[in-house]
Amino acid sequence: MAINVFVPSFHTDEILEEIRECLDKGWTGLGFKTVAFEEAWKTYTGLPYAHFVNSNTSGLHLAVYVLKNKFGWKEGDEVITTPLTFVSTNHVILYERLKPVFADVDEYLCLDPADIEKKITKRTRAVMYVGIGGNTGKLDQVVELCKKYKLKLILDAAHMAGTKYHGKHVGNEADVTVFSFQAVKNLPTADSGMICFQDPEMDAWVRKLSWLGISKDTYARFNKNEGSYKWRYDVPDVGFKYHGNSVIAAIGLVQLKYLEEDNRKRNELAALYDELLKGNSKVKTIPVAPHCYSARHLYQVLVENRDNVLQHFYDQDIYPGVHYWDNTDYPMYHYAKGTCMTAWEAGERLISLPLHLNLFEKDLEFVTSLLK
Ligand SMILES: Cc1ncc(COP(=O)(O)O)c(C=O)c1O
């Protein structure tokens, strides 16, 4: 049987019961389960605010939009970011006509604080930091840099549902942290995400912006007795249709119950990979940073002749992934090509080995035997 890089596991019967409640109540949209999921996420992570959106990409866009407009950033102002990521991370900077300035990655494949510092200019406004594979990298140092240079910190935590840093769920380190609950993430729904600001005003604003800028959502209007003015709302901003819905939140509510257990299993599998690859000089593994308990969304390794290695896997019905290709190779980021050589080299050599909850020891033994 084929072994794929990702295979999500769903608690189908429990999820269907949770969705049934939405259908029976006649409420599948914003509100009801989305509110319950936001509350459950805050309880689980300890983050002060959480707003459920239809993807991490939408959440990242809202994060950039809110910070830009709140602090008066101008077109062409700069956001320091990583070239080794899914393009969402960088596209959202362009959506707001800001300039992605690429800094290189370190031994954790996260942004290297030393290179961030070199890339800071008078126009730098923020750092967009990706916890790749669930790893925190040197996040503490990045937080310090942001304080020193008065930069905002946006954490793309697409891979970090369940990542702990210094013993606590990651997220409070940044001005805004955005998670992904896309179909193959650690907490899979179908497509959705959570945007978590530290500031109550920004949280309140983002709730309106994700619903087209409308001042009062339909769930609030439905539930509050405001006499014949119930229908009345204002539209102070040109917002977006980015909010999440109750059917997807119902999936998230169930999956969240199993996230800790699932991440424990992922960590066991990762430890087994570490053990099986020990002493293999053809493969370089990526360490988890100090003080980090990684959600282990990915198990990444660096190999020589990556395309040959991948073909060897495909011939055996095994389908690893590649996370990611250096974004400066894409036309819209080409202006920065050659500025981040560690990321470029990693992009040429990276493989994400299969890592999901349906794998057994024998699968990992087989996968790693092909790397000898
Ligand atoms: C690092 C990173 N950022 C952002 C995203 C976008 O997430 P979503 O699909 O929820 O928009 C992904 C998804 O793969 C990702 O891996």
Side-chain angles (χ1 to χ4, degrees):
M1 228 187 23
I3 301 181
N4 288 304
V5 59
F6 299 131
V7 178
S9 299
F10 290 103
H11 299 266
T12 310
D13 290 337
E14 233 182 300
I15 288 170
L16 291 177
E17 274 314 299
E18 199 81 25
I19 292 176
R20 178 185 296 281
E21 245 192 278
C22 301
L23 304 180
D24 286 348
K25 189 178 167 80
W27 198 277
T28 53
L30 170 68
F32 183 39
K33 293 288 179 198
T34 67
V35 176
F37 189 34
E38 287 169 352
E39 290 306 311
W41 187 251
K42 285 193 286 180
T43 304
Y44 170 67
T45 58
L47 297 175
Y49 303 100
H51 179 49
F52 186 55
V53 285
N54 61 17
S55 71
N56 162 289
T57 308
S58 311
L60 287 175
H61 180 204
L62 289 167
V64 174
Y65 180 98
V66 167
L67 292 174
K68 179 186 176 204
N69 288 289
K70 171 104 184 161
F71 296 102
W73 302 350
K74 301 280 179 287
E75 279 189 20
D77 280 352
E78 296 168 0
V79 178
I80 297 179
T81 184
T82 172
L84 206 67
T85 186
F86 188 58
V87 285
S88 298
T89 316
N90 294 320
H91 280 9
V92 299
I93 301 170
L94 293 184
Y95 292 171
E96 288 305 315
R97 299 184 186 282
L98 300 166
K99 182 174 178 195
V101 171
F102 293 92
D104 212 346
V105 298
D106 58 16
E107 64 273 31
Y108 305 110
L109 305 179
C110 293
L111 274 178
D112 178 359
D115 205 46
I116 294 177
E117 193 161 19
K118 281 189 205 148
K119 304 279 166 72
I120 294 172
T121 71
K122 277 202 281 222
R123 297 203 71 178
T124 309
R125 300 288 171 258
V127 173
M128 174 75 88
Y129 191 84
V130 177
I132 194 163
N135 211 341
T136 54
K138 298 172 191 157
L139 184 55
D140 280 342
Q141 290 182 42
V142 176
V143 170
E144 285 312 308
L145 272 182
C146 288
K147 279 192 194 138
K148 181 171 163 193
Y149 291 94
K150 299 195 169 33
L151 306 177
K152 298 295 166 197
L153 179 56
I154 303 167
L155 180 60
D156 177 352
H159 301 175
M160 299 181 109
T163 286
K164 315 285 186 326
Y165 198 39
H166 297 284
K168 285 194 198 142
H169 200 286
V170 78
N172 278 317
E173 300 79 2
D175 294 280
V176 54
T177 297
V178 188
F179 297 90
S180 173
F181 309 132
Q182 178 264 347
V184 298
K185 295 296 190 290
N186 288 43
L187 195 162
T189 58
D191 257 320
S192 62
M194 199 71 87
I195 177 165
C196 304
F197 277 102
Q198 291 290 312
D199 176 82
E201 276 178 28
M202 291 193 227
D203 174 70
W205 194 21
V206 87
R207 287 169 186 282
K208 297 186 178 74
L209 286 170
S210 72
W211 168 229
L212 295 149
I214 294 171
S215 63
K216 223 176 344 175
D217 72 55
T218 37
Y219 193 61
R221 280 190 274 140
F222 179 78
N223 281 298
K224 279 190 195 140
N225 180 9
E226 294 182 1
S228 59
Y229 284 101
K230 259 168 88 99
W231 56 270
R232 187 91 183 243
Y233 57 76
D234 291 326
V235 190
D237 292 297
V238 180
F240 308 90
K241 185 78 164 75
Y242 281 173
H243 64 80
N245 70 59
S246 283
V247 174
I248 301 295
I251 303 177
L253 273 167
V254 174
Q255 295 293 104
L256 176 56
K257 291 192 218 163
Y258 300 94
L259 181 61
E260 280 291 294
E261 188 183 322
D262 292 352
N263 284 348
R264 230 178 350 259
K265 171 94 193 280
R266 286 172 174 279
N267 270 275
E268 282 165 21
L269 292 169
L272 184 57
Y273 268 132
D274 285 345
E275 191 59 36
L276 290 165
L277 291 169
K278 209 183 267 170
N280 184 335
S281 59
K282 292 186 180 165
V283 178
K284 189 172 174 333
T285 56
I286 311 297
V288 174
H291 314 296
C292 173
Y293 170 78
S294 171
R296 283 289 191 181
H297 176 57
L298 301 174
Y299 190 92
Q300 296 171 290
V301 295
L302 296 163
V303 296
E304 300 299 334
N305 300 318
R306 191 250 318 273
D307 293 350
N308 293 348
V309 174
L310 282 178
Q311 190 57 53
H312 188 43
F313 275 120
Y314 298 161
D315 293 342
Q316 300 294 327
D317 223 9
I318 296 175
Y319 302 96
V322 172
H323 302 94
Y324 293 89
W325 189 265
D326 179 349
N327 282 196
T328 67
D329 267 338
Y330 302 132
M332 68 294 289
Y333 305 118
H334 212 70
Y335 59 86
K337 193 165 172 57
T339 58
C340 303
M341 291 316 286
T342 310
W344 180 81
E345 197 199 324
E348 294 284 304
R349 294 178 55 201
L350 273 171
I351 293 183
S352 299
L353 298 180
L355 184 59
H356 56 78
L357 306 173
N358 302 332
L359 291 173
F360 296 98
E361 192 168 338
K362 66 172 176 28
D363 300 315
L364 271 61
E365 282 167 359
F366 184 44
V367 168
T368 52
S369 73
L370 299 175
L371 287 165
K372 289 203 171 119

